[in-house]
C-alpha cells in the first residue's frame, strides 16, 4: 500500500512492501531579492522574509517494481519532489531511502549512493551535452561508478543503446544528429546504464510529437518489465499516467491530496481537486452528435509564496465550508487502499461513485 501521509495521520506504514520510502520531505526556497527591495532595504525599510514552500511534508511509499504517477497542475511541486527523490536537490528536511538505505536527506548523503535512482528529464536536448559523443555521455557515469572500465565502455554502451531500440553503431554521433524521440531514448539509455533500481521520469514525453510519445511510453513499459524497474512518473497528462501507472498521487500546492490505485482514483475520486482535474480533461462524447466536453477548474492556482490557510484548495472548491478555511485536512485512509486529504472525503467519494454508476 502507498503511504502518502505521516505516521501521525494514523495511516499504517507498510514497511514489508515498501521499497522506496519518501519520508516527510519538505523543501522551501527563498526567492531572490529584487533590486527595488535591495534599494528599499538600504534606505531603511524592513525586508519581509518570504519563502516558497514547494514541497510540504510529503511521504510516499513505493513497492518494488511499482509505477507511481505524480500528477497536478504546473507549480504544484511535483518536479521538485522528483528532483529530491533523484538526489539532485537536497530537501530542507526529511529523507528518501531505498530498501532501508538513505539515498537523500537534508544533509545530502554522498552522491555515489544516488546511482540507485536516475532521472529522465523532459527535454532530452537540454539534458545531453552537445559537445560529447553519445557513447561518452552514456559511459561517463558508469565509468565513474565502477560499473565498467574505459577499455570495456564501447561494449557496455552498445548493450544499452540496443536495449532502448537504437542502433548500437550510432554511439559515435552527437546528440544533434538524432531526432527528438531518439534523443529521449539516448537519455533513457544513459539513465539505465547506471543500473538503477528506480527511474524518476519528469514529463519525459511532454516535448515530443504524439506519435513518438506512444513509442517512448511503450519503451518504458517494456523496460520496466524486463529490468524490474520501479518508476516515479511525473506528468500533467492524466491519460499517460492511466496507461503506465498502477498507483497515482495527486499534488496540490506542495501537498499530496489523494493517493491510491489509478483505476479506483480515476473511476471515483475522493478529493474535490482530483475530481476537478479529471473533469478538466476534454472528452469526446458520441451521442446523436459528436461533441467534446470538459469543465475547467475554477479559479487560479494560488501563489505558493502565499498559500491559503487551512485546506489550500478551499478558494476553488465547490464543497468548501468555514472549517476548510481554518483546519488543514490530514491525509487519511479512505477505504482499503486509498488516502485523501479532505474533511469530507467519504461524502465526495460517495458522490463520485454514484455519478460513475449513472
Ligand atoms: Fe474542499 Fe474542504 Fe475538502 Fe478542502 S477540505 S477539498 S475545501 S471540502
Amino acid at each position: 500500500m502507498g503511504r502518502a501521509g505521516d505516521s501521525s495521520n494514523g495511516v499504517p506504514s507498510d514497511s514489508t512492501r515498501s521499497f522506496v520510502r519518501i519520508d516527510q520531505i519538505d523543501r522551501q526556497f527563498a526567492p531572490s531579492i529584487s533590486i527595488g527591495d535591495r534599494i528599499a532595504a538600504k534606505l531603511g525599510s524592513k525586508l519581509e522574509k518570504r519563502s516558497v514552500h514547494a514541497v510540504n511534508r510529503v511521504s510516499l511509499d513505493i513497492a518494488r517494481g511499482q509505477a507511481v504517477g505524480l500528477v497536478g497542475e504546473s507549480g504544484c511541486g511535483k518536479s521538485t519532489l522528483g528532483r529530491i527523490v533523484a538526489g539532485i536537490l537536497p530537501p530542507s528536511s526529511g529523507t528518501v531511502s531505498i530498501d532501508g538505505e538513505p539515498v537523500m536527506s537534508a544533509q545530502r548523503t554522498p552522491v555515489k549512493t544516488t546511482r540507485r535512482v536516475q532521472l529522465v528529464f523532459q527535454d532530452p536536448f537540454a539534458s545531453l551535452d552537445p559537445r560529447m559523443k553519445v557513447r561518452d555521455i552514456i559511459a561517463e557515469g558508469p565509468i565513474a561508478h565502477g560499473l565498467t572500465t574505459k577499455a570495456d565502455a564501447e561494449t557496455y554502451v552498445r548493450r544499452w543503446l540496443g536495449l532502448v531500440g537504437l542502433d548500437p553503431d550510432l554511439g559515435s554521433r552527437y546528440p544533434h544528429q538524432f531526432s527528438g524521440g531518439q534523443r529521449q531514448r539516448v537519455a533513457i539509455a544513459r539513465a539505465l546504464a547506471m543500473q538503477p533500481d528506480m527511474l524518476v521520469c519528469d514529463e519525459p514525453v511532454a516535448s515530443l510529437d504524439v506519435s513518438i510519445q506512444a513509442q517512448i511510453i511503450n519503451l518504458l513499459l517494456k523496460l520496466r518489465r524486463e529490468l524490474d524497474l520501479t518508476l516515479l512518473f511525473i506528468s500533467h497528462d492524466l491519460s499517460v499516467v492511466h496507461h503506465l501507472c498502477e498507483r497515482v498521487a495527486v499534488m496540490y500546492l506542495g501537498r499530496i491530496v489523494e493517493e491510491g490505485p489509478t483505476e479506483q482514483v480515476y473511476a471515483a475520486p475522493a478529493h474535490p481537486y482530483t475530481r476537478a482535474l479529471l473533469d478538466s480533461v476534454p472528452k469526446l462524447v458520441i451521442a446523436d452528435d459528436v461533441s467534446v466536453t470538459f469543465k475547467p477548474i475554477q479559479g487560479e492556482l494560488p501563489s505558493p509564496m502565499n498559500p491559503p490557510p487551512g485546506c489550500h484548495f478551499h478558494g476553488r472548491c465547490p464543497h468548501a465550508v468555514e472549517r476548510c478555511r481554518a483546519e488543514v485536512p490530514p491525509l487519511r485512509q479512505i477505504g482499503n487502499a486509498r488516502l485523501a486529504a479532505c474533511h469530507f472525503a467519504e461524502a465526495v467519494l460517495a458522490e463520485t461513485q454514484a455519478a460513475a454508476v449513472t
Side-chain angles (χ1 to χ4, degrees), residues 271-272 311 313-314 317 319-320 324 329 342-344:
H271 194 283
C311 173
F313 190 55
H314 76 243
C317 179
H319 303 274
C324 307
C342 171
H343 296 309
F344 308 107

Side-chain angles (χ1 to χ4, degrees), residues 183-254:
R183 272 198 293 272
Q184 194 57 297
R185 286 176 193 264
V186 171
I188 293 170
R190 176 180 60 178
L192 294 178
M194 295 291 280
Q195 300 183 26
D197 295 300
M198 181 187 197
L199 273 192
V200 176
C201 300
D202 188 1
E203 305 271 14
V205 294
S207 63
L208 305 175
D209 292 344
V210 178
S211 57
I212 309 295
Q213 283 184 11
Q215 291 175 14
I216 298 294
I217 297 293
N218 287 335
L219 174 68
L220 286 170
L221 277 169
K222 174 183 100 86
L223 292 171
R224 195 190 140 200
R225 255 193 328 267
E226 287 176 6
L227 303 174
D228 192 24
L229 278 174
T230 304
L231 274 188
L232 181 63
F233 193 88
I234 300 164
S235 181
H236 65 272
D237 189 330
L238 298 173
S239 56
V240 169
V241 169
H242 194 191
H243 187 62
L244 197 65
C245 305
E246 54 264 28
R247 296 194 72 83
V248 63
V250 183
M251 275 189 88
Y252 187 76
L253 276 183

